[in-house]
């Protein structure tokens, strides 16, 4: 049965690149492609990708229900917010009604983040944590985030899986990591973590290390991140039954790098442009943490130091397996982020708004 698809976050970095690539992906036939928008400019922009714009408030349950039912949407890709779960549950409830009325399999993809599978959220980091580990749901359920702020998005993953299971909706937890490279959409062309390192360094005129050991973190080029979204969609549309629910975690990453190597590569690029005084990377003291926090603007719920550590450090041993089972083939090796650091720094500096 043909699916109508809704892509959210189309003006963003990840969602914009996904929208830009869907048309040329050679996907199996589907019904309509819809894109959630919030402005008239966005509505005009998404049409270039063959998407019909839909403007509605995702926080309002009745509106979400009406929109999903009116347009017969049976696949939702959520790329808006890894933190809170209310909107995701609205979509899951609406998809459940589509299933009830049409008998179709219905699919909800939630975009989470590698932080939720890291030391910051209390995930195990003593060995590789595989994204197809059959115990991953139980592991996530038992996580106690040392940074209290991180408990909410961890629970959001669990809520999405539980609510979807309860309603017979197939859920997928898609996990981007340190994504880099130029976004290809009409909106935001830059990512998060490389931006945070650069923002903090600009403010401090130096790159600081925020951990005393040498932790590593998974990385992924934006093209490879997008390809995994597309391979998952391809499997859904072809009726290929990709793993879902408690077995439906998908990390987009060809492997990890150490933060220290990333800091060093970014420091070299920043020093070359005289944005920082020199390219040496120094362990941060409390005063440095305060300075970086001013640049990284912690939310009320997190202490400034925690927020800095969370934004540009920490340990994550989350390891991709699942995507490869779908036939996903990343083009870029993990070390490419280091080789490409100069271009990334240039891209970010050109697009930083403050
Ligand atoms: N980039 C990464 O490296 C990375 C890594 C891990 C996780 N993630 C997560 O993946 C998601 C997408 O990331 P991104 O880098 O693409 O972020 P982004 O560039 O900031 O894009 C966010 C998108 O969500 C939309 N949005 C935000 N609030 C909304 C609302 N209430 N209703 C409708 N749309 C809303 C934005 O629309 P407007 O343009 O109208 O504001 C924008 O299209 C985020 O949740 C992010 O935390 C990203």
């Amino acid at each position: 049965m043909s699916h109508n698809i809704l892509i959210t976050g189309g003006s963003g970095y990840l969602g914009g690149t996904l929208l830009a690539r869907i048309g040329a992906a050679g996907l199996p036939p589907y019904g309509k492609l819809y894109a959630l928008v919030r402005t008239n400019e966005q509505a005009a922009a998404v049409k270039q990708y063959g998407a019909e714009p839909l403007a509605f408030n995702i926080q309002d349950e009745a509106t979400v229900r009406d929109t999903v039912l009116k347009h017969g949407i049976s696949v939702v890709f959520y790329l808006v917010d890894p933190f809170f779960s209310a909107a995701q549950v609205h979509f899951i409830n609406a998809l459940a009604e589509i299933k009830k009325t049409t008998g179709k399999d219905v699919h909800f993809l939630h975009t989470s983040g590698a932080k939720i599978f890291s030391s910051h959220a209390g995930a195990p980091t003593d060995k590789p944590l595989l994204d197809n580990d059959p115990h991953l749901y139980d592991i996530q359920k038992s996580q106690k985030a040392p940074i209290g702020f991180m408990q909410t998005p961890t629970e959001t993953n669990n809520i999405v899986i539980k609510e979807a299971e309860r309603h017979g909706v197939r859920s997928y937890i898609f996990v981007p990591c340190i994504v880099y490279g130029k976004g290809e959409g009409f909106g935001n062309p830059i990512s998060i973590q490389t931006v945070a390192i650069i923002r903090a360094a600009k403010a401090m005129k130096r790159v600081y290390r925020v951990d005393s050991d040498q932790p590593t973190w998974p990385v992924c080029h934006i093209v490879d991140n997008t390809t995994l979204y597309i391979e998952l969609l391809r499997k859904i549309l072809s009726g290929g039954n990709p793993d879902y629910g408690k077995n439906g975690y998908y990390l987009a990453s060809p492997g990890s790098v150490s933060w220290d190597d990333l800091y060093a590569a970014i420091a070299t690029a920043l020093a070359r442009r005289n944005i920082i005084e020199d390219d040496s990377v120094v362990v941060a003291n409390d005063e440095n943490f305060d300075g970086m926090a001013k640049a990284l603007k912690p939310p009320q719920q997190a202490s400034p130091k925690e927020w800095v550590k969370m934004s540009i450090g920490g340990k994550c041993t989350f390891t991709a397996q699942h995507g490869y089972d779908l036939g996903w083939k990343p083009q870029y090796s993990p070390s490419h982020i280091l080789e490409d650091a100069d271009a990334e720094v240039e891209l970010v500096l050109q697009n930083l708004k403050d």
Side-chain angles (χ1 to χ4, degrees), residues 9 11-14 38 42 79-82 111-112 177 179 188 191:
S11 53
Y13 176 63
L14 304 185
R38 298 208 281 184
Q42 292 174 359
L79 292 85
V80 169
D81 171 25
T111 300
S112 180
C177 50
V179 187
N188 178 19
S191 190

Side-chain angles (χ1 to χ4, degrees), residues 8-16 36-39 42 56-59 79-82 111-114 175-180 188 190-193 229:
T8 64
S11 53
Y13 176 63
L14 304 185
L36 172 68
V37 296
R38 298 208 281 184
T39 65
Q42 292 174 359
F56 63 99
N57 179 3
I58 58 173
Q59 300 299 338
L79 292 85
V80 169
D81 171 25
T111 300
S112 180
V175 187
C177 50
I178 297 179
V179 187
Y180 68 99
N188 178 19
I190 55 174
S191 190
I192 303 175
Q193 271 107 333
Y229 276 118

